[in-house]
Amino acid sequence: MERVRTNVERVIEGKPEVVSSALVVLLAEGHLLIEDVPGVGKTMLSKALARSIDSTVRRIQFTPDLLPSDVTGVSVFNQDTRQFEFRPGGVFANIVVGDEINRASPKTQSALLECMEERQVTVDNATYQLETPFMVIATQNPVEMEGTYTLPEAQRDRFMVRTSMGYPVEAAELAMIAGHTEGNPLDDLEHVTDAAEIRKLTAIVGQVFVAEAVQRYTVALTSATRRTDELVLGASPRATLHLVRAAKAYAALQGRDYVLPDDVRTLAPRVLTHRLLPSVEASMNERSTDEILQRLVATVPVPDGTRG
């Protein structure tokens, strides 16, 4: 994973936390949502991660006229055999890069629901299994941008982590000028691992130990989002599972075979914030979901002990 990190950071300058989030999601068998303004490297990060792994990669450019069948696939009648044949859509790959996902209509966005949660696609009463590893890396522009559709709650809840690129610091932007103006740095990236190795790593991450006290702490965090009056929609049980799985991957990347409460606390904003909806009163008082979650996390007691 350090080889993958180094490879990606050859293209993405000065964003170690964002690259770390991508690696956590990959090992935790989740999906990544990257939200930010145009031109800060969202697609570049997605493609750099995809090129670092010797696996099947497909890119879907989400546009207003994109159809659900373009994503999942469609049955086509073959005149020679007089039978219908299934032609796979863009999701039939190990890594799917969905560019500007919120520029497609909600109807097309919903085509990803089944494959993201169940790793399968159903078309014309036939179910097709997707290969593992399977990861969707989607980029989106802020909803204030022209020509965007807000992702529905069910869609956002299927993304394990939402992260933002942010603008680079001056030194990183200067390094970017030197590295990107002479050619495309993606062309020089080589595979440093493959899909089989990633499958082994995800199996190892699944064996990371989570103490009962850490499990209770995770449930306490997500439960706190459901009880507060500042939120009309709290974290779902799926969010709890995602938080634990992400913490296990984060611990493994730190070289540990057990999860600390600090792992959960560190990842909580990345895993939970995009699933929450503020109340009308909170919105009128200009309290963001980040601020609300930060206050809630501060109120939940942290378990004592290295292993929870």
Side-chain angles (χ1 to χ4, degrees):
M1 294 314 297
E2 284 302 319
R3 292 200 302 271
V4 175
R5 185 197 303 274
T6 302
N7 219 34
V8 174
E9 288 181 346
R10 290 171 56 192
V11 177
I12 304 298
E13 302 280 352
K15 297 293 178 184
E17 186 174 311
V18 177
V19 175
S20 176
S21 294
L23 297 182
V24 165
V25 174
L26 175 64
L27 289 183
E29 299 183 277
H31 307 290
L32 178 65
L33 179 62
I34 310 171
E35 178 182 306
D36 218 320
V37 296
V40 292
K42 301 186 299 294
T43 306
M44 188 71 77
L45 170 64
S46 307
K47 294 173 75 173
L49 181 61
R51 290 201 181 191
S52 298
I53 303 169
D54 186 9
S55 60
T56 55
V57 180
R58 288 195 178 182
R59 182 176 186 269
I60 305 174
Q61 182 65 52
F62 283 81
T63 57
D65 60 346
L66 189 74
L67 298 175
S69 57
D70 297 328
V71 177
T72 59
V74 64
S75 295
V76 178
F77 186 72
N78 188 321
Q79 293 283 2
D80 296 330
T81 62
R82 312 295 294 178
Q83 293 180 337
F84 282 95
E85 296 179 351
F86 177 67
R87 294 189 178 177
V91 297
F92 283 83
N94 294 122
I95 297 180
V96 178
V97 179
D99 201 22
E100 296 188 319
I101 187 174
N102 61 338
R103 291 206 181 277
S105 66
K107 178 181 179 181
T108 303
Q109 292 173 6
S110 64
L112 288 170
L113 294 178
E114 181 184 13
C115 65
M116 289 177 67
E117 180 64 20
E118 302 172 47
R119 265 65 172 179
Q120 65 182 31
V121 171
T122 302
V123 177
D124 294 337
N125 295 324
T127 300
Y128 306 89
Q129 298 296 324
L130 298 173
E131 293 183 5
T132 56
F134 175 70
M135 179 181 182
V136 175
I137 308 175
T139 70
Q140 73 167 1
N141 296 309
V143 292
E144 296 82 8
M145 295 286 178
E146 185 176 352
T148 59
Y149 299 84
T150 304
L151 284 181
E153 289 78 7
Q155 184 76 60
R156 292 202 307 270
D157 197 45
R158 279 165 167 78
F159 285 102
M160 178 174 285
V161 167
R162 184 190 68 179
T163 187
S164 297
M165 298 293 294
Y167 290 109
V169 297
E170 185 176 335
E173 197 160 4
L174 287 171
M176 182 189 69
I177 293 174
H180 290 239
T181 53
E182 297 177 359
N184 188 350
L186 285 173
D187 296 338
D188 299 327
L189 288 188
E190 297 180 353
H191 304 314
V192 295
T193 186
D194 56 24
E197 189 71 21
I198 296 299
R199 283 192 288 270
K200 293 178 184 177
L201 294 177
T202 55
I204 292 171
V205 167
Q207 302 302 314
V208 173
F209 176 72
V210 185
E212 183 180 350
V214 178
Q215 295 178 23
R216 291 182 180 277
Y217 176 62
T218 306
V219 172
L221 284 178
T222 53
S223 297
T225 65
R226 303 164 194 161
R227 292 193 300 266
T228 178
D229 294 332
E230 294 184 289
L231 297 171
V232 294
L233 180 64
S236 66
R238 182 191 285 127
T240 306
L241 293 174
H242 281 182
L243 185 52
V244 172
R245 283 162 49 189
K248 293 170 76 170
Y250 185 82
L253 285 172
Q254 307 301 314
R256 285 184 275 106
D257 62 352
Y258 57 92
V259 174
L260 294 175
D262 279 349
D263 298 334
V264 177
R265 191 182 180 96
T266 299
L267 292 170
R270 307 182 210 176
V271 176
L272 300 181
T273 304
H274 63 285
R275 310 167 195 263
L276 311 177
L277 286 180
S279 64
V280 175
E281 182 182 352
S283 298
M284 291 178 63
N285 292 326
E286 299 183 349
R287 293 196 296 271
S288 66
T289 50
D290 297 90
E291 295 171 340
I292 297 171
L293 181 62
Q294 188 175 2
R295 285 198 294 270
L296 290 174
V297 170
T299 63
V300 179
V302 180
D304 296 327
T306 306
R307 292 174 179 258

